[in-house]
């Protein structure tokens, strides 16, 4: 269950590492705490949907950079907002920060996390930043945990700086494995290449469906995790060749 994963944090990376997580289950429904999602894209919208199902009376705000997805957010029962207009809706008990690092400069990303905690969170629930298992340095199929060594690359430094900002604000961080849906993710990209070079050292790749990531995030918020580093993957690591072979057998890709 998600509860077991939060208590026993078994770790790994998005790149070539064993990573274990129990399956996602339905959320509990104690009260109707409000939720503010910063960077409400695929993961954010999936979390809004689960939160609405579990907490029918809750106030949910989905913040985006533009208004392009606002109609969809309204259909999910969330109130759309833009980053430019932040501050108009009241703060919420819970905040999920899942804005992509690519939208910000190196120093701006950590500052944006700090600002989101200040301007969107009332402190009564939990603040969770969605990060990436790609910050881990392990790349030979080994097992890592929350204290695993991290990379010293520009992208990793940006993410690690934002993680520190989330923890400093009293929040928590979840490092997610490679996110995917049926139509979105590395599997589709590799399949389109026609030929994929497979490493011969047994390296493993870890994945996590967006819906499972949303369930994990929502459960972590419900549990009011704070000052914690969490890791999440689907528990089924694959080689790159194994991933592509599985995709080739799926009806969506088989005849392409």
């Amino acid at each position: 269950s998600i509860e077991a994963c939060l208590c026993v944090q078994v770790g790994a990376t998005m790149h070539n590492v064993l990573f274990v997580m129990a399956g996602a289950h339905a959320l509990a429904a104690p009260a109707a705490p409000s939720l503010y999602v910063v960077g409400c894209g695929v993961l954010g919208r999936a979390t809004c949907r689960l939160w609405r199902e579990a907490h029918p009376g809750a106030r949910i705000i989905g913040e985006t950079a533009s208004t392009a997805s606002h109609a969809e957010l309204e259909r999910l029962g969330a109130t759309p907002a833009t980053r430019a207009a932040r501050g108009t809706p009241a703060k919420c008990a819970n905040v999920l920060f899942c804005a992509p690092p690519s939208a910000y400069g190196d120093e701006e990303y950590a500052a944006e996390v700090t600002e989101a905690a200040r301007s969107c969170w009332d402190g009564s629930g939990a603040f969770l930043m969605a990060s990436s298992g790609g910050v881990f340095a392990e790349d030979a199929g080994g097992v890592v945990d929350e204290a695993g060594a991290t990379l010293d690359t520009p992208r990793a430094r940006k993410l690690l700086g934002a993680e520190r900002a989330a923890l400093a604000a009293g929040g928590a961080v979840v490092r997610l494995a490679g996110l995917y849906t049926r139509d979105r993710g590395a599997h589709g990209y590799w399949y389109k290449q026609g030929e994929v070079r497979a490493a011969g050292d047994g390296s493993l790749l870890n994945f996590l469906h967006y819906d499972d990531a949303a369930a994990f995030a929502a459960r972590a918020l419900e549990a009011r995790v704070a000052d914690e580093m969490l890791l999440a993957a689907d528990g089924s690591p694959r080689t790159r060749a194994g991933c592509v072979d599985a995709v080739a057998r799926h009806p969506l890709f088989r005849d392409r």
Side-chain angles (χ1 to χ4, degrees):
S1 68
I2 290 294
E3 289 84 349
C5 191
L6 288 174
C7 295
V8 183
Q9 298 161 8
V10 183
T13 79
M14 187 171 71
H15 301 294
N16 309 333
V17 182
L18 180 61
F19 196 155
V20 180
M21 173 183 142
H25 290 279
L27 306 179
S34 54
L35 173 67
Y36 198 116
V37 179
V38 179
C40 201
V42 178
L43 175 59
R45 291 193 296 272
T47 306
C48 287
R49 176 178 54 79
L50 288 177
W51 203 263
R52 173 59 66 218
E53 292 171 356
H55 307 289
R59 180 167 59 95
I60 303 173
I61 299 171
E63 181 187 288
T64 59
S66 73
T67 61
S69 62
H70 282 193
E72 184 177 356
L73 285 170
E74 289 176 342
R75 286 194 295 271
L76 291 171
T79 300
T82 61
R83 174 64 180 89
R86 181 186 289 174
T88 301
K91 296 179 179 181
C92 288
N94 301 283
V95 175
L96 172 62
F97 185 95
C98 49
S102 58
Y104 303 92
D106 290 347
E107 302 300 325
E108 293 174 343
Y109 194 49
E112 186 66 13
V113 172
T114 299
E115 176 58 22
R118 186 195 68 81
S119 59
C120 303
W121 187 33
D122 69 13
S124 65
F127 182 98
L128 181 68
M129 176 200 164
S131 185
S132 169
V135 300
F136 286 111
E138 172 63 46
D139 65 355
V143 177
V144 299
D145 60 17
E146 300 82 355
T150 54
L151 294 167
D152 185 22
T153 63
R155 184 175 185 276
R157 287 194 295 269
K158 181 188 287 190
L159 283 166
L160 293 170
E163 289 180 357
R164 289 191 291 269
L167 295 171
V173 174
V174 56
R175 290 174 177 169
L176 302 170
L179 295 172
Y180 73 96
T181 64
R182 186 188 66 173
D183 306 301
R184 179 189 183 102
H187 61 288
Y189 170 78
W190 290 333
Y191 190 75
K192 291 176 183 178
Q193 302 310 299
E195 181 178 351
V196 177
R197 188 176 68 180
D201 57 2
S203 295
L204 298 172
L205 298 166
N206 298 273
F207 300 96
L208 183 64
H209 195 281
Y210 273 98
D211 287 346
D212 291 331
F216 188 100
R219 185 65 189 93
L221 290 168
E222 283 196 331
R224 296 189 180 185
V225 293
D227 303 314
E228 292 278 358
M229 179 67 67
L230 307 171
L231 307 177
D234 64 9
S236 300
R238 292 178 178 271
T239 63
R240 188 172 301 185
C243 176
V244 174
D245 287 345
V247 170
R249 292 192 297 271
H250 193 282
L252 180 67
F253 295 92
R254 191 169 51 213
D255 299 325
R256 290 188 180 181

